[in-house]
Amino acid sequence: MLPGRRVLLIIGGGIAAYKSLLLIRLLRGAGAAVTPVLTSAAEHFVTALSVSALANEKVHTALFDLTAEAEMGHIELSRSADLIVVAPATADLMAKMATGRADDLASTLLLATDTPVLLAPAMNVRMWQHPATQRNLATLRADGIRFVGPEDGQMACGEFGPGRLSEPEAIFAAIQSALTLGPLTGKHILVTSGPTHEPIDPVRYIANRSSGAQGTAIAAALRDLGAQVTFITGPALVPAPDGVHVQRVETAAEMLRAVEASLPVDAAIFAAAVADWRVANASTSKMKKDGLGQAPALEFAENPDILATISKGNQRPALVIGFAAETDDILSHARAKRARKGCDWIVANDVSPSTGIMGGAENAVTLITAEAEETWPRMSKEAVARKLALRIAEALAAN
Ligand code: C5P
């Protein structure tokens, strides 16, 4: 139920626009107020009259009508909502959002706001699969925009595949979860994740077996509790979650710069498997065999320790959490690491190949704090993430 919550619903132009009428009924039935906006293309598919009758509010269509109204400029309209929903979100609206264009009311509202945005895309299969749309999708995801759908299925144009607007009930459920206030609402949390790649030359690099699965699950769990999440990831194998602000980096040095630029935050979780060393004598051109069987000698330099730098820095978050992936003497190494790096908690785990943890779906961790050590049973990385996110919420609430 959503009493007292206001959704700004932007209806884009497409056959699926009729489903937005059903969505308005569901939202109104749940007690939410709906401010409807129609793009000029949408007016070809649904009428302002039916939208306003269902929403029981004036429908906004033109940018200049709105700015003429002294009491309700476009800035205010976009900011008075708890959530902006675009359904259907057309390829054109996504392109405008991804490039920051503001040439009509809908795109201006979307640019003029920092209210969370949920997109329900709907378009022809080929348009959805087009590299331009996929590029825009990646950009919008990285900007922290949430998505519901599109679904696979028969399209109005007769083709089959991804591009169908999600059913109104599914969009409603996504709205409900986006609007639910969680224990971390209002908190900004940073998560590092994935491996780093340290170049040897322009085509070769040193990496490690981290998939990024645990860090990704933590970012999603924090988001689900309402946190605003900045997710700084190396080249991971798993996709970044929706609804978090993603920054992609390659090397440890880039990760440190991105982390420092994201401060201040309320809490920081350093789940990345950062390379301890980079190649000091990395070549700027591709290294070649010398024909004499002589192998190149790589020299290493120590990378900055991001966790230690932030723990000891002057913008230290209230809660700093590190990971200790060990293969032997796990707990004693982890305890020493907590002290040496200056973080509040360490999540220790055994990454010996026999455990299947690194790159696997499960994790078995011990949470080490100043007061206690708790060994959790082996569980999925998502379950570890949810448990840890709840602990973080408790700790920040007690602050
Ligand atoms: O020293 P070690 O790599 O085992 O420490 C692991 C913890 O420190 C993890 O939380 C990892 O994200 C963080 N770390 C870091 N920067 C490094 C090395 C590790 O932030 N250069």
Side-chain angles (χ1 to χ4, degrees):
M1 292 294 108
L2 305 167
R5 315 309 299 279
R6 176 167 290 276
V7 172
L8 179 83
L9 176 64
I10 296 175
I11 304 177
I15 295 286
Y18 73 92
K19 289 191 188 170
S20 59
L21 299 178
L22 302 171
L23 178 61
I24 296 173
R25 288 189 58 177
L26 290 173
L27 287 166
R28 299 279 299 137
V34 179
T35 309
V37 173
L38 284 181
T39 65
S40 54
E43 289 184 88
H44 295 289
F45 296 94
V46 289
T47 69
L49 189 61
S50 43
V51 171
S52 86
L54 287 169
N56 200 23
E57 289 205 24
K58 176 176 165 13
V59 175
H60 303 277
T61 51
L63 182 57
F64 296 105
D65 285 0
L66 188 68
T67 47
E69 290 176 34
E71 82 281 11
M72 185 57 133
H74 55 275
I75 307 270
E76 198 176 321
L77 184 60
S78 63
R79 293 190 186 159
S80 58
D82 298 297
L83 180 71
I84 300 182
V85 177
V86 188
T90 60
D92 182 55
L93 268 170
M94 285 177 60
K96 281 184 181 172
M97 286 178 74
T99 49
R101 288 189 59 185
D103 61 357
D104 63 4
L105 179 59
S107 53
T108 304
L109 290 174
L110 287 159
L111 195 63
T113 191
D114 54 4
T115 303
V117 178
L118 173 74
L119 254 56
M123 65 196 73
N124 167 273
V125 184
R126 302 261 180 281
M127 289 170 81
W128 175 253
Q129 289 172 337
H130 195 284
T133 303
Q134 291 300 308
R135 234 179 1 252
N136 293 335
L137 173 67
T139 302
L140 294 172
R141 282 211 160 113
D143 288 346
I145 305 290
R146 293 191 184 207
F147 283 83
V148 49
E151 311 296 331
D152 268 22
Q154 186 78 40
M155 320 269 304
C157 55
E159 288 184 61
F160 191 89
R164 267 172 69 93
L165 184 70
S166 294
E167 292 306 318
E169 291 74 15
I171 303 174
F172 176 73
I175 292 172
Q176 253 188 323
S177 99
L179 278 176
T180 303
L181 293 179
L184 289 172
T185 300
K187 301 289 184 201
H188 183 192
I189 304 188
L190 181 151
V191 180
T192 71
S193 183
T196 62
H197 284 182
E198 306 295 334
I200 296 171
D201 69 14
V203 297
R204 304 182 178 95
Y205 55 81
I206 293 177
N208 59 61
R209 294 188 191 282
S210 165
S211 63
Q214 186 64 80
T216 300
I218 291 170
L222 293 166
R223 174 205 63 198
D224 290 345
L225 295 187
Q228 177 198 343
V229 179
T230 295
F231 183 66
I232 300 176
T233 178
L237 297 178
V238 298
D242 275 351
V244 304
H245 182 70
V246 183
Q247 290 185 49
R248 294 178 199 283
V249 296
E250 293 247 327
T251 64
E254 287 169 12
M255 187 174 274
L256 175 61
R257 275 198 295 279
V259 167
E260 285 178 328
S262 304
L263 300 178
V265 294
D266 296 293
I269 297 101
F270 293 90
V274 185
D276 289 323
W277 300 282
R278 66 181 175 280
V279 179
N281 58 343
S283 170
T284 50
S285 54
K286 187 183 168 199
M287 290 161 80
K288 300 257 189 275
K289 284 185 271 194
D290 68 357
L292 305 169
Q294 183 83 26
L298 295 183
E299 287 165 23
F300 290 92
E302 199 165 301
N303 268 331
D305 190 311
I306 305 168
L307 170 61
T309 307
I310 301 306
S311 293
K312 294 170 186 169
N314 54 9
Q315 290 206 84
R316 188 190 197 281
L319 180 64
V320 180
I321 306 174
F323 274 70
E326 307 289 347
T327 54
D328 50 88
D329 274 342
I330 297 148
L331 292 185
S332 57
H333 278 130
R335 280 177 210 125
K337 197 161 284 183
R338 195 182 84 81
R340 193 170 66 244
K341 302 210 183 204
C343 56
D344 300 299
W345 302 353
I346 279 272
V347 181
N349 60 358
D350 184 351
V351 291
S352 309
S354 60
T355 63
I357 283 174
M358 201 140 187
E362 292 186 335
N363 208 350
V365 309
T366 300
L367 178 66
I368 302 179
T369 70
E371 298 80 32
E373 290 183 9
E374 255 178 55
T375 298
W376 297 351
R378 191 174 170 121
M379 56 182 105
S380 70
K381 288 184 175 173
E382 286 73 21
V384 169
R386 284 193 293 271
K387 209 167 151 73
L388 186 64
L390 285 171
R391 282 305 176 80
I392 293 169
E394 281 168 22
L396 291 184
N399 256 323

